[in-house]
Amino acid sequence: MVRVTEAAQIYSFSRRALVLGAAQGAVGLVLAGRMAWLSVVENEQYKLKAESNRVNNTLIPPRRGWLLDRTGKPLASNRTDFRVDLIPDRIVDKDKLLAELTRLLNLAPEDLARIETDLKRAGGFRPVQVAENLDWDRFAAVLVRQPELPGVAPTRGYARHYPLGAGVGHLIGYVGTASAEQYKLDKDPLLVTPGFKLGKDGLEKTLDKRLRGKPGAKRVEVTAHGRPVRELETRADQPGESIKLTIDAGLQEYVARRLGTNSGSAIVIDVASGDILAMASMPAYDPNSFSDGITQTEWKMLSEDDHVPLMNKVLQGLYPPGSTVKPMNGLALMAAGVNPHDRVVCSGALRVGNGVFHCHKKGGHGPLDLKNAIMQSCDIYFYEMVRRVGYDAIAPMARMLGMGQKFDMPFTTQRYGTVPDSAWKLKKYHRPWTVADSLNASIGQGYVLANPLQLAVMASRLASGKILVPRLLSTGPSGAQPLPVSPEDLAIVRDAMYGVVNGGGTGGAARMYVPGVAIAAKTGTAQVRRITMAERRTGVLKNAALPFKMRDHALFVCFAPHDNPKYAAAIVLEHNGHTIRNLDTPLIGRDIMTYLFDRDLAMKTLAEVEPTWGGDYTTRLAAQGAAFRQAQNIPPPPAPEDAAEAASVVASDAANATANTTRSDVAPIGSADRD
């Protein structure tokens, strides 16, 4: 039996006490260190959390920056917006409150359903939108009854306003509420703040970050259960940046109005700087309607319109350029060694192999040199000359003048067209280039496709003799290098374009009546259907006898004054078919150029013809909407959740249809431009 002495017991106890004390000391040090960490290092974090529990912050949407024209006139501005929101935790009797708001604001059943859903999802003091863009009478009716309506928050805010309406629809775009997908991507609480809207299309979308600004905040002290105690100071919002464009607001509106009832587009460029002065695609949607919330009926009307008002035809439309490329091709022919004074006899048709290529003048033009071939738009001359040199000698000049070129424009969707050559066809279709391909391309048909902006750039480079780059923001570069072409060759082409209008050419209707100012131009027509030999024998059908979608496109490029160019323009009218004189390209081009030199004369001319079209674009759109609603016999489909995305789909489908049509139906062997 082992005896434990008193000394051993004391030693054992002391050792255990020491270990236990050390452990307690270590725990104490850990606790002290943690307390020091929390009170010193993480003090700010917990202070902010405590403050957030004490104070509720409600974001105030920032005022959006304005979009201004080159002179400072607003193209997109802000107007006072009267709105009514609900603060969920302040509501006493929800059913009674919603019934009273329905009476005061004339809320629709779908509005009530949305409010009910939003109230279930909202927490604390996050506001729920009831109605926006209210007139003063309805807003005032709620405002004077606010003490009787606990939980109701009438607010004066700002809404987007577009003074030119549909005239800037595709240029400026519109704003709208953020979609669920956008919020999930950014997790920015501002996106779900009532009254906040972000850019959905056009410049509003691409410049959104600059236009958006920074939100303010309304601070309310609350209890631990979220009940209000008192209102604290409000942090003001920081407005977004106002951005100046190169657009001339007056010209933009005039161009949009002058396009009339056409489905088409027009672009005007300052040839000294490359500034885009006007860029209109018509018909168009009214961005005010889209920003306020488009109705189901209006959406259905726009999406079913065969003039495709949801498509930006300037950048998304692709067309065979037709005879508008003949001045450019003439420049390329001279660069390839063709003598501009050599003549080709036009008999009205040219046989190549088993195919016959026709000129638009059935009886032929007789012998023509380059200048007169451009003036009379003779197809046979260009067939023959391009057959001699090959289209591979033409394509580089086309690219140099802007065809097929991608320009750095502030838009999310653009289509760039095609400048074909033998290498391109071999790569894309695995087939060699043929003589027929060259002949079709020589008159701007076949595989050649361009958008209207590229045609305007081509006109501006021919006018200026410089490699101008179009710009829409006034802060961009404006310098340009000279075109590497002979000044003598360029002078011949410009003189021919002057003769198109003023020397007995195909564009005589475009002659200007401004003293001392003459326009130089080139007309164009592009087929969208195949003309068979049988039809040629019996007589080619006139465009007026064809359905709208089967009519030819009408095109026009120009610059003025012819001897000292300041402005260049391009006009493309879908399926216009040259059927109505005052809605055709030559008179539209003439009037647009007249506006730049004599505004009063241009406005007088417009005032004479516009009433015959049913008024200006705003009046016609309103009349179209009224007629559409009256004709509805079935309930309209629900409007898309995000109209911008749906509009993009519609526009892309339309653009693809245009491209497919031109690929399959335009310029088969034996076809010809009619201009």
Side-chain angles (χ1 to χ4, degrees), residues 451-462:
N451 67 36
L453 176 61
Q454 291 167 342
L455 295 178
V457 171
M458 177 185 71
S460 70
R461 292 182 178 180
L462 287 172

PDB file of all heavy atoms in Angstrom, residues 451-462:
ATOM      1  N   ASN A 451     -25.967  49.908 -94.592  1.00  0.00           N
ATOM      2  CA  ASN A 451     -26.983  50.589 -93.795  1.00  0.00           C
ATOM      3  C   ASN A 451     -26.976  52.079 -94.168  1.00  0.00           C
ATOM      4  O   ASN A 451     -26.017  52.581 -94.766  1.00  0.00           O
ATOM      5  CB  ASN A 451     -26.783  50.357 -92.292  1.00  0.00           C
ATOM      6  CG  ASN A 451     -25.520  50.993 -91.736  1.00  0.00           C
ATOM      7  OD1 ASN A 451     -25.103  52.074 -92.154  1.00  0.00           O
ATOM      8  ND2 ASN A 451     -24.901  50.339 -90.759  1.00  0.00           N
ATOM      9  N   PRO A 452     -28.029  52.815 -93.848  1.00  0.00           N
ATOM     10  CA  PRO A 452     -28.116  54.227 -94.251  1.00  0.00           C
ATOM     11  C   PRO A 452     -26.980  55.094 -93.728  1.00  0.00           C
ATOM     12  O   PRO A 452     -26.563  56.040 -94.404  1.00  0.00           O
ATOM     13  CB  PRO A 452     -29.472  54.660 -93.684  1.00  0.00           C
ATOM     14  CG  PRO A 452     -30.288  53.407 -93.685  1.00  0.00           C
ATOM     15  CD  PRO A 452     -29.321  52.328 -93.301  1.00  0.00           C
ATOM     16  N   LEU A 453     -26.479  54.799 -92.525  1.00  0.00           N
ATOM     17  CA  LEU A 453     -25.373  55.597 -91.997  1.00  0.00           C
ATOM     18  C   LEU A 453     -24.151  55.473 -92.900  1.00  0.00           C
ATOM     19  O   LEU A 453     -23.461  56.461 -93.169  1.00  0.00           O
ATOM     20  CB  LEU A 453     -25.031  55.153 -90.568  1.00  0.00           C
ATOM     21  CG  LEU A 453     -23.815  55.841 -89.941  1.00  0.00           C
ATOM     22  CD1 LEU A 453     -24.029  57.346 -89.827  1.00  0.00           C
ATOM     23  CD2 LEU A 453     -23.493  55.235 -88.575  1.00  0.00           C
ATOM     24  N   GLN A 454     -23.866  54.271 -93.375  1.00  0.00           N
ATOM     25  CA  GLN A 454     -22.716  54.076 -94.253  1.00  0.00           C
ATOM     26  C   GLN A 454     -22.882  54.855 -95.558  1.00  0.00           C
ATOM     27  O   GLN A 454     -21.917  55.407 -96.088  1.00  0.00           O
ATOM     28  CB  GLN A 454     -22.536  52.586 -94.538  1.00  0.00           C
ATOM     29  CG  GLN A 454     -22.091  51.789 -93.319  1.00  0.00           C
ATOM     30  CD  GLN A 454     -22.221  50.291 -93.510  1.00  0.00           C
ATOM     31  OE1 GLN A 454     -22.946  49.832 -94.401  1.00  0.00           O
ATOM     32  NE2 GLN A 454     -21.542  49.521 -92.683  1.00  0.00           N
ATOM     33  N   LEU A 455     -24.109  54.931 -96.065  1.00  0.00           N
ATOM     34  CA  LEU A 455     -24.349  55.705 -97.286  1.00  0.00           C
ATOM     35  C   LEU A 455     -24.123  57.193 -97.040  1.00  0.00           C
ATOM     36  O   LEU A 455     -23.590  57.905 -97.893  1.00  0.00           O
ATOM     37  CB  LEU A 455     -25.775  55.463 -97.787  1.00  0.00           C
ATOM     38  CG  LEU A 455     -26.087  54.035 -98.255  1.00  0.00           C
ATOM     39  CD1 LEU A 455     -27.549  53.927 -98.678  1.00  0.00           C
ATOM     40  CD2 LEU A 455     -25.169  53.628 -99.405  1.00  0.00           C
ATOM     41  N   ALA A 456     -24.518  57.671 -95.856  1.00  0.00           N
ATOM     42  CA  ALA A 456     -24.295  59.081 -95.525  1.00  0.00           C
ATOM     43  C   ALA A 456     -22.801  59.371 -95.386  1.00  0.00           C
ATOM     44  O   ALA A 456     -22.321  60.433 -95.809  1.00  0.00           O
ATOM     45  CB  ALA A 456     -25.029  59.439 -94.234  1.00  0.00           C
ATOM     46  N   VAL A 457     -22.063  58.441 -94.800  1.00  0.00           N
ATOM     47  CA  VAL A 457     -20.611  58.609 -94.686  1.00  0.00           C
ATOM     48  C   VAL A 457     -19.975  58.621 -96.069  1.00  0.00           C
ATOM     49  O   VAL A 457     -19.074  59.427 -96.356  1.00  0.00           O
ATOM     50  CB  VAL A 457     -20.009  57.497 -93.802  1.00  0.00           C
ATOM     51  CG1 VAL A 457     -18.484  57.526 -93.865  1.00  0.00           C
ATOM     52  CG2 VAL A 457     -20.478  57.650 -92.365  1.00  0.00           C
ATOM     53  N   MET A 458     -20.432  57.733 -96.957  1.00  0.00           N
ATOM     54  CA  MET A 458     -19.916  57.715 -98.325  1.00  0.00           C
ATOM     55  C   MET A 458     -20.125  59.073 -98.994  1.00  0.00           C
ATOM     56  O   MET A 458     -19.200  59.627 -99.613  1.00  0.00           O
ATOM     57  CB  MET A 458     -20.625  56.632 -99.136  1.00  0.00           C
ATOM     58  CG  MET A 458     -20.208  56.564-100.600  1.00  0.00           C
ATOM     59  SD  MET A 458     -21.179  55.364-101.560  1.00  0.00           S
ATOM     60  CE  MET A 458     -22.765  56.222-101.630  1.00  0.00           C
ATOM     61  N   ALA A 459     -21.326  59.649 -98.840  1.00  0.00           N
ATOM     62  CA  ALA A 459     -21.614  60.956 -99.435  1.00  0.00           C
ATOM     63  C   ALA A 459     -20.733  62.040 -98.833  1.00  0.00           C
ATOM     64  O   ALA A 459     -20.235  62.929 -99.536  1.00  0.00           O
ATOM     65  CB  ALA A 459     -23.088  61.304 -99.243  1.00  0.00           C
ATOM     66  N   SER A 460     -20.520  61.976 -97.517  1.00  0.00           N
ATOM     67  CA  SER A 460     -19.711  63.007 -96.855  1.00  0.00           C
ATOM     68  C   SER A 460     -18.242  62.916 -97.256  1.00  0.00           C
ATOM     69  O   SER A 460     -17.555  63.934 -97.356  1.00  0.00           O
ATOM     70  CB  SER A 460     -19.853  62.884 -95.330  1.00  0.00           C
ATOM     71  OG  SER A 460     -19.211  61.727 -94.841  1.00  0.00           O
ATOM     72  N   ARG A 461     -17.737  61.715 -97.504  1.00  0.00           N
ATOM     73  CA  ARG A 461     -16.337  61.560 -97.918  1.00  0.00           C
ATOM     74  C   ARG A 461     -16.143  61.984 -99.371  1.00  0.00           C
ATOM     75  O   ARG A 461     -15.106  62.561 -99.711  1.00  0.00           O
ATOM     76  CB  ARG A 461     -15.883  60.118 -97.690  1.00  0.00           C
ATOM     77  CG  ARG A 461     -15.800  59.764 -96.204  1.00  0.00           C
ATOM     78  CD  ARG A 461     -15.309  58.354 -95.932  1.00  0.00           C
ATOM     79  NE  ARG A 461     -15.224  58.114 -94.488  1.00  0.00           N
ATOM     80  CZ  ARG A 461     -14.825  56.977 -93.924  1.00  0.00           C
ATOM     81  NH1 ARG A 461     -14.457  55.952 -94.686  1.00  0.00           N
ATOM     82  NH2 ARG A 461     -14.784  56.848 -92.611  1.00  0.00           N
ATOM     83  N   LEU A 462     -17.135  61.716-100.220  1.00  0.00           N
ATOM     84  CA  LEU A 462     -17.063  62.220-101.588  1.00  0.00           C
ATOM     85  C   LEU A 462     -17.120  63.744-101.597  1.00  0.00           C
ATOM     86  O   LEU A 462     -16.447  64.403-102.390  1.00  0.00           O
ATOM     87  CB  LEU A 462     -18.222  61.658-102.419  1.00  0.00           C
ATOM     88  CG  LEU A 462     -18.144  60.179-102.810  1.00  0.00           C
ATOM     89  CD1 LEU A 462     -19.452  59.741-103.458  1.00  0.00           C
ATOM     90  CD2 LEU A 462     -16.969  59.927-103.751  1.00  0.00           C
TER      91      LEU A 462
END
